[in-house]
Amino acid sequence: MISRQYNRKIQIYQTTFTYDGFGGTIPADVLIGSFWSEVKQNSAFRDNQVGASDIKNNYSFKIRSTPKITPDNIDSLFIMYRSKKYVVNDIRYYDELFRETNIVANGIEGN
């Protein structure tokens, strides 16, 4: 593990529901933490769902493992990188000693 490879700063958020005081709930984004990361673009493709043509970018974020981020809480995570939002699709441990975590996320151009 070379520390110089982690040269980009990312913020990882989790969407939770909080009570609004009137008997209901509202979604709120909670910052899990800021991490140094190695960022790689896996691919870019055009998505033509629902009649709209969107360019989507698939990125890989490799960070040092932390107990705050596990493959169990993948449903409500997103990453902010360079003022853009990337929705987490996959979380895997990069090595067999669980020292590094690889996060795959999709971002939509223009958000």
Side-chain angles (χ1 to χ4, degrees):
M1 173 179 359
I2 300 172
S3 63
R4 292 183 299 267
Q5 72 184 5
Y6 300 111
N7 56 2
R8 306 280 188 238
K9 192 76 158 180
I10 63 170
Q11 292 85 29
I12 299 180
Y13 289 87
Q14 183 172 16
T15 304
T16 60
F17 290 95
T18 59
Y19 293 105
D20 62 358
F22 298 102
T25 58
I26 56 173
D29 297 332
V30 177
L31 178 67
I32 292 176
S34 295
F35 302 95
W36 288 102
S37 173
E38 176 187 356
V39 179
K40 291 183 180 177
Q41 183 176 11
N42 295 335
S43 65
F45 59 93
R46 186 172 298 274
D47 186 19
N48 292 323
Q49 278 184 326
V50 194
S53 178
D54 294 328
I55 297 175
K56 291 191 176 183
N57 294 319
N58 189 329
Y59 278 83
S60 173
F61 301 92
K62 187 164 55 168
I63 62 171
R64 290 188 180 98
S65 291
T66 177
K68 297 177 184 178
I69 300 169
T70 61
D72 299 332
N73 60 356
I74 191 173
D75 296 333
S76 59
L77 294 179
F78 68 90
I79 296 173
M80 290 298 291
Y81 172 63
R82 292 187 176 175
S83 302
K84 293 185 180 177
K85 185 176 180 178
Y86 297 91
V87 179
V88 173
N89 291 334
D90 187 28
I91 298 174
R92 294 184 187 197
Y93 292 109
Y94 191 72
D95 61 348
E96 62 275 355
L97 298 176
F98 305 111
R99 293 179 296 186
E100 297 173 326
T101 303
N102 191 26
I103 303 170
V104 177
N106 282 341
I108 300 174
E109 190 68 31
N111 60 349

